[in-house]
Amino acid sequence: MRWGSALAQGTQVSLSSIHSVRRSRSSAPAISTRSSRWNDMAQPVDFYAILDVAPTATKGEVLEAVRRQRILWIHRRNSPDAQRRAEAKTRMRQIDDAEQTLLDPLGRQRYDSSRGSTTVDAAESSPPPPEADDAEEWVRRAEEYLAAGDAQRARLAAREATSADQNDSTAWRVRARASFMLGNHYQAEFELCEAARHDPDDVDGLLDLVDAQGQLERFDDAYATLRKVDGLRPDDVHVEVSWGLVDLLARRPDDAVARLAALHQKHPNNRYVSGMYAAALHDAVLSRLTVVEPGGTYKFTSPAQVDFAKQNLPLAEPLRYDDAELRSSIHWLEVHGFLAEQRRFVRHTRLTPYVVAMTLVLLLAWRSELPGLIQWILLLGVPVVYAVRNRLPGWRAEKLAVEAGEGDVVRWGI
């Protein structure tokens, strides 16, 4: 199969362009409460918690975390639940900010210096919130804070709601959503299990539980929860896409491709389904490439990788979806896959044998009575052989560079 038509334009795409789309952060509206002290509480943003990586994470680990978090939150951004969509929109902005900060060496250094003691969970050490009348009022306030992107105060309010009524499944679910946005996935899973215990038929709550189990890499539990959801809401597009999402989080992109390809056949005009299908194709290609540090760079180092990319990436080209980051990344793979096929001169053989051979040919031509044409053929033959042997396809040149120690190999691809 051919590469995407975008390559015909000769567009040059750098590795950083995969992660070049930025969004400016908008300030969240203030929410009035009965306590100015609580309302003025600082809200530090922990980028490492947002991406679920350690502060010592390498650039490659940060890039991988950004990719996984985007898949998850783009999925939630298409939820039928308006509250989940609003939370996902806020989190996507935070992921962009985290990416921009942590991938810039100077920006990351400044962020780490200012982070200081804010690694302590601010929601646990903050002053108590003002009094409210009942659990329902606390839930309402928590949802308002979530809509404003203030997960810390939302968690405090939701905790007050569950204290007021421990059997309120909505309060447990809102509390879990706040924990999830703060990166406390273990806490979120517990709270969602409590919500499911009080309301076992709440599909939206169970889908939240699937997301938390996926983040914790408890994939068997996530699949089990999805089987239960299937029984409650069969043939639901959002539920069916959730299966593909868990496949991607479980690093099983081939399963996701098969599942989402079938779903795309049923819903060819659904941009949400198309976007997840494109993400699965993208991840299937990445899973076969060689990964090199520093930077977590993906490289084509075999013809099998090139052939697989040629077979799968063009399938994503006609799909209609809204993720500009994903489209840019797929284009980058197409460009570099195309370049991996092109031959270029790479000096990888020793020059000495060719110099010796050239000297011998010159002596032979000078002392012999060979016809002039034969002498010229002999003279030109040595440099031609040298040039041919050092003109390699791009994938072979990349492999030689990696084998020569150009970076540390994290994973050899197929």
Side-chain angles (χ1 to χ4, degrees):
M1 295 182 68
R2 66 178 179 84
W3 290 105
S5 60
L7 298 180
Q9 302 173 5
T11 306
Q12 295 183 351
V13 183
S14 66
L15 178 61
S16 61
S17 69
I18 299 181
H19 311 281
S20 63
V21 176
R22 307 291 181 214
R23 300 173 180 85
S24 58
R25 179 185 299 177
S26 60
S27 58
I31 299 177
S32 61
T33 69
R34 300 176 190 172
S35 170
S36 60
R37 182 187 179 198
W38 197 53
N39 194 52
D40 293 337
M41 182 181 67
Q43 186 193 357
V45 177
D46 189 341
F47 289 150
Y48 297 108
I50 286 172
L51 298 182
D52 197 20
V53 296
T56 56
T58 65
K59 180 180 178 182
E61 290 170 338
V62 171
L63 288 174
E64 174 67 13
V66 168
R67 186 177 63 83
R68 286 170 62 83
Q69 290 295 325
R70 275 211 175 93
I71 290 174
L72 173 65
W73 287 94
I74 286 174
H75 171 69
R76 293 171 74 91
R77 194 173 63 186
N78 288 275
S79 169
D81 186 333
Q83 186 71 32
R84 291 174 95 224
R85 292 198 300 272
E87 294 163 14
K89 184 177 180 180
T90 298
R91 178 46 61 93
M92 289 296 291
R93 288 199 302 269
Q94 293 174 337
I95 291 171
D96 287 337
D97 291 342
E99 177 191 15
Q100 188 173 11
T101 299
L102 299 184
L103 292 183
D104 174 30
L106 292 178
R108 184 170 182 174
Q109 184 178 9
R110 287 193 296 267
Y111 172 75
D112 288 341
S113 299
S114 64
R115 190 165 172 256
S117 61
T118 60
T119 53
V120 178
D121 188 347
E124 298 293 343
S125 59
S126 302
E131 294 298 327
D133 299 329
D134 53 24
E136 185 176 348
E137 172 65 14
W138 280 120
V139 169
R140 185 190 65 78
R141 291 187 183 187
E143 289 178 337
E144 287 179 350
Y145 286 126
L146 280 175
D150 193 341
Q152 292 172 357
R153 277 180 271 196
R155 184 179 174 189
L156 282 171
R159 191 167 59 187
E160 292 293 328
T162 54
S163 297
D165 185 356
Q166 296 185 359
N167 298 320
D168 189 335
S169 62
T170 301
W172 282 109
R173 184 183 166 202
V174 172
R175 178 171 165 177
R177 294 209 309 261
S179 295
F180 197 90
M181 291 192 71
L182 290 170
N184 299 334
H185 300 128
Y186 287 100
Q187 189 71 27
E189 186 197 30
F190 164 73
E191 291 156 349
L192 288 165
C193 285
E194 285 295 297
R197 185 167 66 88
H198 296 296
D199 187 357
D201 296 333
D202 178 13
V203 171
D204 291 329
L206 291 173
L207 288 175
D208 285 344
L209 179 58
V210 169
D211 291 344
Q213 290 166 335
Q215 286 294 298
L216 295 172
E217 300 191 353
R218 295 177 179 170
F219 302 118
D220 290 340
D221 293 339
Y223 286 123
T225 304
L226 278 172
R227 284 192 287 272
K228 180 177 180 180
V229 174
D230 269 340
L232 295 172
R233 192 184 288 175
D235 300 323
D236 182 274
V237 171
H238 193 74
V239 175
E240 293 185 67
V241 171
S242 295
W243 283 93
L245 169 68
V246 176
D247 288 335
L248 290 177
L249 293 176
R251 298 175 180 84
R252 297 167 57 180
D254 291 354
D255 292 343
V257 167
R259 196 187 304 275
L260 293 166
L263 188 59
H264 176 67
Q265 290 290 329
K266 293 167 57 178
H267 306 280
N269 298 319
N270 189 311
R271 300 176 75 92
Y272 173 38
V273 173
S274 296
M276 292 300 293
Y277 179 33
L281 292 167
H282 169 270
D283 282 17
V285 173
L286 287 185
S287 70
R288 287 161 169 81
L289 300 187
T290 298
V291 183
V292 178
E293 290 286 2
T297 306
Y298 290 92
K299 292 182 178 291
F300 286 88
T301 58
S302 76
Q305 295 170 351
V306 177
D307 291 341
F308 187 84
K310 286 175 66 177
Q311 293 169 6
N312 288 271
L313 292 178
L315 299 177
E317 186 174 342
L319 299 177
R320 301 179 63 186
Y321 54 94
D322 302 320
D323 188 351
E325 290 272 351
L326 176 60
R327 194 173 296 281
S328 176
S329 184
I330 289 175
H331 180 64
W332 182 91
L333 288 172
E334 286 185 318
V335 170
H336 284 262
F338 173 78
L339 294 176
E341 284 189 309
Q342 309 307 305
R343 289 184 173 271
R344 60 179 186 263
F345 182 82
V346 179
R347 180 179 170 183
H348 74 102
T349 58
R350 294 178 60 187
L351 186 60
T352 303
Y354 294 94
V355 173
V356 172
M358 192 68 180
T359 302
L360 292 175
V361 168
L362 286 171
L363 288 174
L364 178 64
W366 178 51
R367 290 179 174 270
S368 68
E369 296 181 355
L370 294 173
L373 179 61
I374 301 299
Q375 292 183 15
W376 277 108
I377 291 175
L378 290 174
L379 287 172
L380 295 176
V382 174
V384 167
V385 170
Y386 178 78
V388 169
R389 291 200 61 189
N390 287 273
R391 186 172 169 79
L392 305 176
W395 65 263
R396 176 66 176 157
E398 291 283 9
K399 183 176 181 180
L400 289 172
V402 172
E403 290 175 339
E406 188 179 284
D408 298 323
V409 178
V410 177
R411 180 196 72 205
W412 280 106
I414 62 174

